Amino acid sequence: MAEASTANDFAHEPGLSREEIANRYTQWAQDAKYEQDLSEVNYKGPLISAEIMVELFPESSNRDAVYILDVAAGSGFAGQQIRRRGFTKIDALEPSEGMMNLAIAKNIYTRTFLAYLNGTSLNIESDFYDVALICGGMGQGHIPCSGLDELVRVVKPGGLVIIVMREKYLTSVAEYKDRLEPRMKELELADQWEPVFRRVVPQYSFQNNGVVFVFRVKSNSVIKG
């Protein structure tokens, strides 16, 4: 576990550009160790994400109609878990070419977007998805607070934004400390989304607790472009 945790920290090193981080993920993928290092023993984020999806969509007969954007999809861990539970319409957004290649090989995604979620407009339709899911994409040098606005844009009114991340990143990552949850609140006060729940979950990754945020996009959202 220690070696795997060190490999994870290597992709979260402070001071790296987003391009350098993406390259490190590609190297991790090419080393053929990523899927071993982030196996379910060490990283339960994808399983937690799938359980949350089942909780939010309890009628299994309707799950194949739910269109999902798997943000920072990595090699497709979360996509695999939610697909096993009957969600079949899933697209992937991932900036690392190496990770994306691993994900594509699993044949679980309808469309794939090799791009960053960093606040700039994605080549994705507005009001399109029923769910945008981030599982493990929040971290040092990863998705910035400004990325939330783009999630609101691509999710249809009444749809959900789900963020599953390591709890301590809320205070240990400068981009998020005193900024991420306040930005979430600003979007709420601006009538762009409303909170469904915030939940701390144990043993998210490498013995660290995780936190799950779920928001419902509102019909009068002003961020549409």
Side-chain angles (χ1 to χ4, degrees):
M1 179 180 292
E3 182 181 351
S5 181
T6 299
N8 184 72
D9 292 342
F10 181 69
H12 289 256
E13 183 179 330
L16 298 177
S17 69
R18 292 191 176 90
E19 290 76 14
E20 289 171 324
I21 291 171
N23 287 338
R24 287 196 175 189
Y25 273 106
T26 293
Q27 178 184 336
W28 200 0
Q30 291 172 342
D31 289 344
K33 289 200 64 183
Y34 176 81
E35 301 220 338
Q36 175 184 331
D37 290 340
L38 293 190
S39 67
E40 194 173 308
V41 173
N42 296 326
Y43 178 44
K44 294 181 171 57
L47 181 60
I48 292 168
S49 298
E51 291 171 346
I52 293 295
M53 287 292 295
V54 168
E55 177 181 343
L56 294 168
F57 297 93
E59 296 296 328
S60 59
S61 60
N62 296 331
R63 291 177 192 163
D64 61 355
V66 179
Y67 210 153
I68 302 160
L69 180 63
D70 185 2
V71 180
S75 69
F77 279 145
Q80 283 179 297
Q81 289 287 352
I82 59 180
R83 188 177 180 87
R84 289 169 187 162
R85 288 155 179 81
F87 300 95
T88 59
K89 297 174 68 175
I90 314 170
D91 292 347
L93 176 71
E94 168 57 43
S96 164
E97 185 174 2
M99 289 293 165
M100 183 66 88
N101 288 337
L102 291 179
I104 290 171
K106 294 178 179 178
N107 295 314
I108 57 177
Y109 295 110
T110 304
R111 301 189 298 177
T112 57
F113 302 95
L114 188 65
Y116 295 89
L117 179 67
N118 59 7
T120 59
S121 184
L122 298 166
N123 186 29
I124 296 176
E125 305 91 328
S126 297
D127 302 332
F128 189 79
Y129 291 100
D130 299 295
V131 176
L133 167 67
I134 298 176
C135 173
M138 310 296 286
Q140 180 66 49
H142 286 52
I143 295 171
C145 297
S146 59
L148 300 182
D149 297 30
E150 190 66 356
L151 296 182
V152 173
R153 182 185 70 80
V154 302
V155 172
K156 64 180 64 172
L160 299 169
V161 174
I162 303 170
I163 300 171
V164 186
M165 61 183 289
R166 192 180 293 197
E167 184 186 27
K168 76 173 187 179
Y169 288 164
L170 294 173
T171 54
S172 67
V173 174
E175 171 67 20
Y176 304 148
K177 185 178 180 181
D178 301 323
R179 297 187 70 239
L180 181 60
E181 290 192 274
R183 180 57 185 150
M184 291 172 172
K185 186 65 176 180
E186 288 173 358
L187 291 170
E188 177 188 350
L189 294 176
D191 261 352
Q192 293 167 19
W193 67 17
E194 59 185 2
V196 178
F197 63 76
R198 178 192 192 278
R199 181 182 302 165
V200 175
V201 291
Q203 303 293 309
Y204 162 75
S205 67
F206 302 103
Q207 310 299 319
N208 294 283
N209 286 348
V211 60
V212 179
F213 298 95
V214 180
F215 297 93
R216 190 174 302 279
V217 173
K218 299 189 73 171
S219 60
N220 58 345
S221 171
V222 296
I223 299 182
K224 299 297 170 191

